[in-house]
Amino acid sequence: ALSGNMCTDKKAAATNWLEGRGKSVVVEATIPKAVVESTLKTTVAAMVHTNLHKNLIGSAMAGALGGFNAHASNIVTAVFLATGQDPAQNVESSNCITLLEETPEGDLWMSCTMPSLEVGTVGGGTSLEAQSACLEMMGVKGGNAQNPGDNAKQLAQIIASAVLAGEMSLLAALAANTLVQAHMTHNRKPASK
């Protein structure tokens, strides 16, 4: 093989984390303290604490390779299936580190760094009717005539932004200790008698 498998296609590998593969994206957001408390039903300090202990310390103790996040792969897989991406690329595309800090003003700053998002807007499953419609809805269907590659870059940014939103939601539920309650209310059938 030409690459000698150093391309580490469809495998977790340090080289993808360090060198990047596909698109490398960093997204960030600052959420006002009042929104964290009223909408996410927790505190900034609790979210920062949860992220530190779950995503950073817990992942390090587990020997994670590029997986310092709560559930990036869930979001990556969902968007990949919806937009005609190769679902097997989820392995390296889900490399993500989620960071949270309390700002000097007491707000929540968070970021997701994803160094190896492998996406495209031309070819493969992107031509399937439903997947093509999804790409069209996001404004990234096909190639960009003026700047080739720009649609794929935009899709990578959309995916990373969705990951950030998912990380925020799950970390808030964990910090507030409402995850099981939410699953029982919204996602699980009642226990049979």
Side-chain angles (χ1 to χ4, degrees), residues 137-191:
M137 177 185 67
M138 292 189 278
V140 296
K141 179 181 174 186
N144 186 304
Q146 290 74 35
N147 298 301
D150 275 5
N151 284 356
K153 288 178 189 174
Q154 182 66 28
L155 178 58
Q157 292 169 349
I158 290 167
I159 293 170
S161 298
V163 167
L164 185 135
E167 292 286 284
M168 182 187 316
S169 177
L170 180 54
L171 287 168
L174 291 169
N177 199 26
T178 58
L179 183 63
V180 172
Q181 175 190 354
H183 273 86
M184 296 306 290
T185 302
H186 301 292
N187 197 28
R188 301 284 186 238
K189 295 178 182 175

XYZ file of all heavy atoms in Angstrom, residues 137-191:
388
model
N -30.121 22.141 2.499
C -30.720 22.922 3.579
C -29.648 23.696 4.354
O -29.868 24.823 4.788
C -31.475 21.988 4.533
C -32.072 22.659 5.739
S -32.817 21.486 6.890
C -31.375 20.611 7.475
N -28.463 23.101 4.493
C -27.371 23.752 5.225
C -26.560 24.689 4.329
O -25.647 25.360 4.810
C -26.448 22.691 5.824
C -27.098 21.893 6.932
S -25.939 20.827 7.804
C -25.870 19.432 6.708
N -26.881 24.720 3.045
C -26.182 25.616 2.131
C -24.795 25.144 1.726
O -23.953 25.961 1.342
N -24.561 23.824 1.782
C -23.224 23.305 1.455
C -23.263 22.172 0.426
O -22.291 21.428 0.279
C -22.475 22.834 2.730
C -22.219 24.008 3.659
C -23.234 21.716 3.441
N -24.352 22.045 -0.303
C -24.477 20.958 -1.276
C -23.507 21.166 -2.441
O -23.392 22.262 -2.987
C -25.904 20.882 -1.799
C -26.113 19.793 -2.833
C -27.536 19.780 -3.348
C -27.669 18.791 -4.485
N -29.006 18.872 -5.095
N -22.802 20.099 -2.798
C -21.929 20.124 -3.966
C -20.654 20.904 -3.731
O -20.321 21.295 -2.617
N -19.954 21.124 -4.818
C -18.711 21.883 -4.747
C -18.978 23.376 -4.777
O -20.019 23.824 -5.254
N -18.067 24.136 -4.272
C -18.172 25.587 -4.306
C -17.403 26.073 -5.530
O -16.178 25.919 -5.594
C -17.593 26.186 -3.014
C -17.798 27.674 -2.926
O -17.399 28.416 -3.809
N -18.409 28.106 -1.835
N -18.119 26.633 -6.516
C -17.499 27.025 -7.783
C -16.449 28.120 -7.611
O -15.432 28.124 -8.302
C -18.577 27.483 -8.770
N -16.685 29.059 -6.693
C -15.743 30.157 -6.500
C -14.523 29.734 -5.682
O -13.407 30.154 -5.974
C -16.418 31.356 -5.802
C -17.421 32.109 -6.645
C -18.730 31.353 -6.812
O -19.180 30.662 -5.898
N -19.326 31.449 -7.989
N -14.736 28.946 -4.657
C -13.655 28.524 -3.764
C -13.776 27.033 -3.478
O -14.409 26.649 -2.484
C -13.699 29.315 -2.449
C -13.491 30.791 -2.665
O -12.470 31.213 -3.188
N -14.478 31.586 -2.274
N -13.206 26.204 -4.339
C -13.307 24.758 -4.120
C -12.861 24.369 -2.709
O -11.854 24.860 -2.204
C -12.355 24.185 -5.169
C -12.330 25.222 -6.258
C -12.434 26.539 -5.531
N -13.657 23.517 -2.087
C -13.365 23.066 -0.734
C -14.077 23.855 0.349
O -14.158 23.402 1.489
N -14.598 25.038 0.017
C -15.252 25.864 1.034
C -16.504 25.213 1.609
O -16.799 25.374 2.796
C -15.597 27.248 0.486
C -14.430 28.222 0.587
O -13.326 27.796 0.997
O -14.632 29.412 0.271
N -17.267 24.487 0.773
C -18.470 23.833 1.302
C -18.105 22.748 2.305
O -18.771 22.601 3.327
C -19.318 23.263 0.163
C -20.076 24.354 -0.572
O -20.035 25.524 -0.206
N -20.778 23.976 -1.631
N -17.039 22.002 2.032
C -16.593 20.977 2.988
C -16.103 21.631 4.279
O -16.372 21.128 5.380
C -15.501 20.112 2.367
N -15.405 22.745 4.157
C -14.960 23.466 5.363
C -16.156 23.927 6.184
O -16.162 23.811 7.413
C -14.099 24.682 4.979
C -12.733 24.346 4.469
C -11.987 25.618 4.069
C -10.694 25.297 3.352
N -10.049 26.515 2.840
N -17.172 24.457 5.514
C -18.376 24.930 6.212
C -19.096 23.761 6.877
O -19.567 23.879 8.012
C -19.309 25.660 5.240
C -20.557 26.218 5.887
C -20.276 27.336 6.875
O -19.297 28.060 6.762
N -21.140 27.473 7.861
N -19.170 22.614 6.185
C -19.808 21.442 6.779
C -19.053 21.004 8.043
O -19.668 20.678 9.057
C -19.880 20.292 5.773
C -20.487 18.987 6.291
C -21.906 19.198 6.809
C -20.453 17.922 5.188
N -17.733 21.033 7.996
C -16.934 20.674 9.175
C -17.231 21.630 10.327
O -17.347 21.210 11.486
C -15.444 20.688 8.831
N -17.389 22.921 10.036
C -17.719 23.894 11.079
C -19.110 23.647 11.652
O -19.323 23.781 12.861
C -17.603 25.315 10.528
C -16.176 25.703 10.198
C -16.071 27.002 9.415
O -17.063 27.533 8.936
N -14.857 27.507 9.282
N -20.041 23.265 10.795
C -21.400 22.956 11.251
C -21.370 21.750 12.191
O -22.003 21.753 13.258
C -22.341 22.699 10.047
C -22.592 24.007 9.279
C -23.656 22.062 10.497
C -23.243 23.820 7.915
N -20.637 20.721 11.806
C -20.552 19.514 12.636
C -19.914 19.843 13.984
O -20.418 19.435 15.042
C -19.777 18.398 11.906
C -20.572 17.923 10.689
C -19.480 17.235 12.853
C -19.797 17.005 9.755
N -18.816 20.576 13.972
C -18.153 20.935 15.231
C -19.063 21.781 16.112
O -19.080 21.619 17.337
C -16.833 21.660 14.951
N -19.848 22.661 15.512
C -20.799 23.476 16.284
C -21.888 22.609 16.907
O -22.290 22.819 18.051
C -21.425 24.548 15.390
O -20.427 25.423 14.914
N -22.351 21.611 16.149
C -23.345 20.677 16.687
C -22.745 19.871 17.837
O -23.414 19.613 18.848
C -23.855 19.755 15.587
N -21.480 19.482 17.698
C -20.794 18.765 18.778
C -20.734 19.644 20.022
O -21.029 19.186 21.137
C -19.389 18.302 18.345
C -18.559 17.851 19.541
C -19.487 17.176 17.311
N -20.366 20.907 19.864
C -20.305 21.821 21.006
C -21.661 21.908 21.701
O -21.748 21.833 22.936
C -19.828 23.206 20.562
C -19.618 24.189 21.712
C -18.298 24.940 21.533
C -20.750 25.185 21.773
N -22.738 22.019 20.923
C -24.086 22.088 21.514
C -24.422 20.799 22.264
O -24.979 20.838 23.369
C -25.121 22.365 20.429
N -24.066 19.668 21.684
C -24.326 18.392 22.342
C -23.522 18.223 23.616
O -24.021 17.710 24.624
N -22.266 18.658 23.569
C -21.415 18.589 24.759
C -21.996 19.465 25.875
O -22.046 19.065 27.031
C -19.995 19.051 24.423
C -19.230 18.121 23.497
C -18.782 16.862 24.196
O -17.810 16.895 24.968
O -19.426 15.816 23.973
N -22.451 20.659 25.503
C -23.024 21.571 26.484
C -24.256 20.953 27.133
O -24.405 20.974 28.360
C -23.414 22.898 25.814
C -23.964 23.929 26.766
S -24.609 25.414 25.947
C -23.363 25.757 24.720
N -25.114 20.377 26.332
C -26.339 19.782 26.847
C -26.054 18.606 27.781
O -26.608 18.532 28.885
C -27.212 19.323 25.672
O -28.378 18.684 26.140
N -25.196 17.687 27.352
C -24.908 16.523 28.189
C -24.174 16.914 29.465
O -24.498 16.422 30.556
C -24.100 15.481 27.416
C -23.733 14.218 28.203
C -24.955 13.550 28.823
C -22.975 13.250 27.312
N -23.198 17.797 29.364
C -22.470 18.217 30.567
C -23.389 18.926 31.557
O -23.258 18.752 32.771
C -21.279 19.100 30.197
C -20.117 18.351 29.554
C -19.110 19.324 28.952
C -19.448 17.414 30.550
N -24.341 19.703 31.044
C -25.300 20.361 31.937
C -26.165 19.325 32.648
O -26.394 19.417 33.862
C -26.170 21.341 31.155
N -26.632 18.325 31.910
C -27.459 17.278 32.519
C -26.672 16.484 33.555
O -27.202 16.137 34.621
C -28.008 16.353 31.441
N -25.407 16.205 33.264
C -24.572 15.496 34.234
C -24.295 16.361 35.460
O -24.341 15.880 36.590
C -23.258 15.062 33.577
C -23.373 13.958 32.523
C -22.060 13.821 31.767
C -23.792 12.642 33.154
N -24.011 17.633 35.234
C -23.716 18.539 36.344
C -24.930 18.728 37.247
O -24.800 18.859 38.463
C -23.234 19.890 35.811
N -26.113 18.746 36.652
C -27.345 18.946 37.418
C -27.925 17.623 37.924
O -28.937 17.623 38.624
C -28.379 19.662 36.559
N -27.302 16.519 37.524
C -27.765 15.184 37.904
C -29.190 14.920 37.426
O -30.019 14.366 38.142
C -27.658 14.973 39.422
C -27.669 13.503 39.789
O -27.285 12.650 38.987
N -28.110 13.194 40.994
N -29.471 15.349 36.174
C -30.809 15.158 35.605
C -30.808 14.258 34.374
O -31.839 14.107 33.729
C -31.421 16.520 35.215
O -30.554 17.172 34.282
C -31.641 17.402 36.433
N -29.684 13.645 34.057
C -29.598 12.841 32.838
C -30.571 11.663 32.855
O -31.310 11.450 31.896
C -28.160 12.350 32.619
C -27.939 11.548 31.338
C -28.215 12.404 30.113
C -26.527 10.999 31.294
N -30.587 10.896 33.919
C -31.469 9.733 33.983
C -32.926 10.185 33.937
O -33.740 9.608 33.206
C -31.185 8.888 35.245
C -32.226 7.785 35.404
C -29.791 8.299 35.173
N -33.240 11.232 34.674
C -34.615 11.756 34.682
C -35.034 12.172 33.273
O -36.145 11.874 32.832
C -34.706 12.941 35.635
C -36.050 13.635 35.638
C -36.004 14.951 36.422
O -35.005 15.285 37.046
N -37.089 15.692 36.377
N -34.157 12.845 32.561
C -34.469 13.281 31.193
C -34.688 12.082 30.280
O -35.615 12.080 29.462
C -33.350 14.166 30.659
N -33.852 11.049 30.419
C -34.038 9.848 29.600
C -35.376 9.173 29.921
O -36.079 8.720 29.019
C -32.887 8.859 29.819
C -31.722 9.111 28.940
N -30.729 9.995 29.268
C -31.385 8.603 27.737
C -29.830 10.017 28.304
N -30.205 9.183 27.364
N -35.698 9.093 31.168
C -36.958 8.448 31.551
C -38.158 9.250 31.060
O -39.169 8.685 30.657
C -37.027 8.269 33.069
C -35.954 7.340 33.631
S -35.904 5.704 32.847
C -37.416 5.002 33.466
N -38.046 10.569 31.056
C -39.156 11.423 30.624
C -39.294 11.460 29.106
O -40.400 11.379 28.573
C -38.964 12.860 31.150
O -38.880 12.814 32.572
C -40.108 13.765 30.727
N -38.167 11.562 28.391
C -38.226 11.847 26.958
C -37.793 10.710 26.040
O -38.065 10.768 24.852
C -37.350 13.062 26.648
C -37.766 14.286 27.390
N -38.950 14.944 27.152
C -37.166 14.953 28.394
C -39.060 15.973 27.958
N -37.994 16.010 28.724
N -37.113 9.712 26.553
C -36.471 8.788 25.627
C -36.688 7.325 25.953
O -36.192 6.469 25.255
C -34.961 9.092 25.601
C -34.280 8.497 24.404
O -34.904 8.316 23.361
N -33.016 8.165 24.542
N -37.382 6.998 26.999
C -37.509 5.598 27.382
C -38.970 5.219 27.549
O -39.798 6.013 27.992
C -36.776 5.321 28.711
C -35.310 5.644 28.664
C -34.559 4.569 27.911
N -33.131 4.808 27.998
C -32.340 4.964 26.967
N -32.821 4.886 25.756
N -31.067 5.171 27.108
N -39.262 3.992 27.183
C -40.603 3.468 27.407
C -40.759 3.170 28.894
O -39.789 2.809 29.566
C -40.802 2.198 26.601
C -40.764 2.401 25.110
C -40.923 1.103 24.382
C -40.831 1.331 22.889
N -40.868 0.094 22.142
N -41.969 3.287 29.389
C -42.173 2.950 30.799
C -41.851 1.471 31.051
O -42.002 0.642 30.168
C -43.646 3.239 31.054
C -44.227 3.716 29.784
C -43.166 3.723 28.737
N -41.406 1.183 32.249
C -41.110 -0.195 32.612
C -42.369 -1.026 32.519
O -43.450 -0.602 32.925
C -40.527 -0.245 34.013
